[in-house]
Amino acid sequence: MILIVASNKGVAGKNIAKHVLKNYPFTKTIQTFQESPIYTAQINRKHVNLIRLKEETVYAQNLLETFPDPDLVVFLSRHSSQSGKPTLSVHTPGNFAEAKLGGLPRTLSVCPAAAMRNALKSLQQFKTEMELDYEVSYECTHHGPSLNVPTMFVELGSSPQQWSDARAAEAVANAAVQAITNFSAPNESAVLGIGGTHYNQNFTKMALNNEALFGHMIPKYALSNLDNEILLHCIKRTLEKIDHAILDWKGINSQYKTKLLNMLEALELPYKKI
């Protein structure tokens, strides 16, 4: 079973979910979750449920108590930033340090690298086809929940103006369902991305050009929290096999470079600098 999750607390999540229900063959069941009906569909021979939460999606840490062992969880959510730049984004949730916004401390969700790239490429496709004035980007791993199953967020941002943009919400809905449609067992290896900004355009361009399949991405602001345990956690909490790391070398502060290379060598993980 694949689970699509949106929150009733945010206009963006509600708008995206509305387009999923409108554009795809979902039917309302007699079951409810947090006082909202559960919807179900068969998409490319996959059983898909759509649910809506009372709370914000980042606080859905207990989700698997009701829906155990889904093959994939896709959160439909708003994205916020101080810049307010119109952005369509995708990322895996999890915390490299303390849990400031949901999830568990130093615990990551399992990253579905291929599904994330499929969502990213679909966002780019629909942005172009629908002539949307939005930037498409990966985001680095951040916030909750920290789930033991493959989990990703597909988001619409970055301000109230974009959250209410019906056409952009439809693009996010379509991209999420495209990723679900193409979801399958891992058949290629992935890489661990380290360095650069939260919206890493180097990693984004490489994925869009099929040059790499990124799992977890660790931004430069999180490098102070990095140790062997977290690096190994990133590797183990990726659905695909991680065969090397890609380092955004200019996006890594010099004080961390030697320590990082030593950790990668200790874990016997090859790396490439870009």
Side-chain angles (χ1 to χ4, degrees):
M1 184 267 289
I2 292 176
L3 193 61
I4 300 176
V5 186
S7 170
N8 281 326
K9 290 197 76 171
V11 62
K14 288 195 289 186
N15 282 343
I16 300 165
K18 180 178 72 175
H19 284 287
V20 171
L21 296 176
K22 175 184 174 184
N23 294 347
Y24 300 94
F26 281 85
T27 56
K28 184 192 292 188
T29 71
I30 60 172
Q31 297 173 301
T32 62
F33 180 70
Q34 295 188 4
E35 300 177 14
S36 290
I38 298 175
Y39 293 83
T40 188
Q42 291 290 323
I43 298 176
N44 194 22
R45 297 183 299 279
K46 301 174 179 72
H47 179 65
V48 183
N49 284 341
L50 184 148
I51 63 170
R52 286 177 288 201
L53 311 177
K54 285 183 177 180
E55 73 259 12
E56 298 282 0
T57 51
V58 297
Y59 299 116
Q61 187 58 42
N62 297 324
L63 186 66
L64 301 187
E65 293 177 6
T66 305
F67 301 94
D69 298 322
D71 299 310
L72 175 68
V73 178
V74 180
F75 287 96
L76 310 175
S77 178
R78 72 170 184 259
H79 164 65
S80 303
S81 74
Q82 290 184 339
S83 71
K85 179 183 289 187
T87 305
L88 309 174
S89 62
V90 58
H91 73 91
T92 297
N95 298 305
F96 296 115
E98 63 267 38
K100 290 184 176 179
L101 198 61
L104 303 173
R106 290 175 59 87
T107 308
L108 311 177
S109 291
V110 177
C111 176
M116 285 213 309
R117 185 175 66 182
N118 284 335
L120 185 78
K121 294 176 78 169
S122 294
L123 288 172
Q124 183 67 37
Q125 172 195 336
F126 290 115
K127 168 204 164 169
T128 302
E129 290 179 358
M130 300 171 73
E131 299 181 343
L132 300 174
D133 188 18
Y134 281 72
E135 181 177 274
V136 170
S137 182
Y138 273 139
E139 291 183 74
C140 291
T141 301
H142 68 299
H143 70 56
S146 305
L147 302 181
N148 294 325
V149 297
T151 305
M152 67 180 185
F153 277 66
V154 189
E155 297 187 337
L156 170 59
S158 302
S159 72
Q161 180 180 349
Q162 287 82 43
W163 302 338
S164 300
D165 184 339
R167 295 180 72 248
E170 184 171 17
V172 174
N174 289 341
V177 175
Q178 284 271 57
I180 288 168
T181 300
N182 296 322
F183 183 69
S184 62
N187 59 9
E188 59 181 308
S189 58
V191 302
L192 170 62
I194 304 175
T197 62
H198 184 77
Y199 310 92
N200 193 307
Q201 284 302 304
N202 288 328
F203 296 166
T204 299
K205 289 174 184 175
M206 290 181 72
L208 291 174
N209 292 329
N210 291 321
E211 296 171 19
L213 180 65
F214 284 89
H216 286 289
M217 286 164 268
I218 307 169
K220 62 182 178 181
Y221 64 76
L223 291 176
S224 61
N225 301 307
L226 206 55
D227 55 26
N228 286 39
E229 183 182 21
I230 284 292
L231 273 178
L232 187 60
H233 192 54
C234 289
I235 294 167
K236 290 183 174 181
R237 300 282 270 195
T238 304
L239 184 60
E240 292 81 0
K241 181 182 183 295
I242 296 291
D243 63 7
H244 70 282
I246 290 182
L247 312 182
D248 189 339
W249 197 239
K250 287 186 177 180
I252 298 173
N253 292 339
S254 57
Q255 69 193 94
Y256 299 119
K257 287 183 175 179
T258 300
K259 177 185 175 184
L260 173 61
L261 297 185
N262 289 339
M263 286 191 290
L264 292 172
E265 289 169 5
L267 293 174
E268 299 183 341
L269 185 68
Y271 58 85
K272 296 178 184 177
K273 300 176 183 178
I274 62 165

